[in-house]
């Protein structure tokens, strides 16, 4: 079990650092596939791990001068507002107990969307991509906050993910922010989101889920963090050095397998409600 957890942490850190997506998109499906569905516990632990994944990646992007300061100053406050709304939504009665199957369904949809975005970016040639005007970070920063920061925060709080899977494409494809800058901005935003999300979700875990304790979440996070940090340092460095085509392909395969497993787990949980 320990070796498996370490490998999950390493993979989550590498992909999180490389693509600016945090580690939850790997951690939660992987734990669900290998162990039993425990969505709320996995979300609480994954949000803690996200903090350690994005901090080393953030400094790598800062060193590369890829972080857009004016954009971050508008995205972060709105994303934090979104994350608290998302956590509150995830604790609605419909999502508790066996009803966490509904969260699994939403997570599966989210994973399918993430896979779709990565497939498009994998097969699309640079010439085929839409040409955007040069993004003015000073004049359009509020637009980035509202159109990328707020939805990223809500998804992060609702599903326990970093939110970078939507934050990156929203900036890159909707606002025309260059990809490397989108990844760097996403990483910086997730850093603050994960801190707020980890505190609020773990508090909600102890308050609303008597089947889990805070020590369960902390122990799981502690097992994942060491290799996740190593993976994040490697992945974030590769963002500015190597092409991401091969790793993106591996990521797509993983997301496909994860979506199938998460959907099956959701069906099992929701079927028991109706029986």
């Amino acid at each position: 079990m320990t070796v498996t957890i370490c490998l999950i942490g390493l993979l989550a850190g590498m992909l999180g650092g490389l693509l600016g997506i945090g580690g939850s998109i790997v951690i939660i499906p992987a734990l669900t596939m290998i162990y039993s569905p425990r969505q709320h516990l996995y979300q609480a632990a994954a949000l803690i791990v996200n903090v350690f994944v994005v901090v080393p990646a953030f400094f790598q992007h800062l060193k590369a001068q890829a972080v857009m300061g004016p954009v971050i100053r508008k995205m972060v406050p709105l994303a934090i507002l979104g994350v608290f709304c998302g956590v509150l939504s995830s604790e609605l009665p419909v999502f508790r107990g066996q009803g966490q199957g509904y969260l699994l369904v939403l997570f599966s949809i989210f994973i399918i969307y993430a896979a779709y975005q990565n497939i498009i970016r994998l097969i699309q040639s640079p010439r085929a991509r839409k040409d955007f005007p040069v993004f003015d970070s000073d004049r359009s920063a509020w637009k980035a906050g509202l159109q990328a920061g707020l939805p990223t925060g809500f998804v992060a709080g609702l599903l326990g993910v970093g939110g970078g899977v939507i934050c990156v494409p929203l900036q890159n494809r909707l606002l025309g922010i260059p990809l490397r800058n989108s990844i760097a901005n996403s990483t910086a935003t997730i850093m603050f989101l994960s801190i707020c999300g980890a505190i609020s979700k773990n508090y909600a875990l102890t308050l609303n889920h008597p089947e889990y304790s805070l020590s369960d979440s902390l122990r799981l996070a502690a097992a994942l963090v060491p290799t996740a940090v190593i993976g994040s340092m490697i992945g974030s460095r590769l963002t500015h050095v190597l092409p991401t085509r091969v790793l993106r392909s591996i990521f797509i395969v993983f997301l496909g397998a994860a979506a199938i497993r998460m959907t099956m787990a959701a069906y099992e949980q929701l079927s028991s409600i109706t029986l």
Side-chain angles (χ1 to χ4, degrees), residues 32-217:
T32 302
M33 285 191 290
I34 297 171
Y35 305 108
S36 58
R38 299 177 182 177
Q39 185 71 11
H40 288 285
L41 174 62
Y42 296 159
Q43 285 186 203
L47 282 166
I48 296 173
V49 178
N50 275 350
V51 177
F52 294 90
V53 169
V54 298
V55 167
F58 169 72
F59 284 107
Q60 290 282 357
H61 298 317
L62 200 62
K63 183 178 179 181
Q65 298 183 334
V67 178
M68 304 173 77
V71 172
I72 294 305
R73 285 192 287 273
K74 297 299 187 296
M75 283 180 61
V76 168
L78 289 169
I80 290 174
L81 173 63
V83 80
F84 284 121
C85 293
V87 168
L88 288 175
S89 299
S90 75
E91 292 298 327
L92 292 173
V94 69
F95 293 135
R96 295 185 193 173
Q98 292 175 322
Q100 69 180 330
Y102 294 115
L103 277 179
L104 291 172
V105 171
L106 292 175
F107 203 103
S108 297
I109 294 171
F110 180 74
I111 291 173
I112 292 169
Y113 167 80
Y116 166 76
Q117 286 292 339
N118 278 275
I119 290 171
I120 293 299
R121 286 166 62 182
L122 181 67
I123 64 177
Q124 193 177 53
S125 67
R127 293 182 180 180
R129 293 171 188 164
K130 184 177 179 181
D131 292 326
F132 292 96
V134 176
F135 181 81
D136 189 331
S137 61
D138 292 310
R139 300 180 64 180
S140 302
W142 274 113
K143 183 186 292 186
L146 291 169
Q147 297 184 9
L150 190 62
T152 295
F154 183 79
V155 170
L158 178 66
L159 300 180
V161 297
V165 173
I166 65 167
C167 191
V168 173
L170 282 176
Q171 292 177 83
N172 182 230
R173 300 177 68 85
L174 183 64
L175 299 171
I177 297 176
L179 179 58
R180 294 186 191 278
N181 296 108
S182 297
I183 292 173
N185 293 341
S186 173
T187 301
T189 303
I190 292 171
M191 181 172 64
F192 292 97
L193 281 187
S194 298
I195 294 170
C196 297
I199 293 171
S200 56
K201 184 62 182 179
N202 278 274
Y203 175 75
L205 186 77
T206 59
L207 191 68
N208 300 323
H209 302 278
E211 67 272 28
Y212 305 124
S213 66
L214 179 61
S215 62
D216 293 331
S217 173

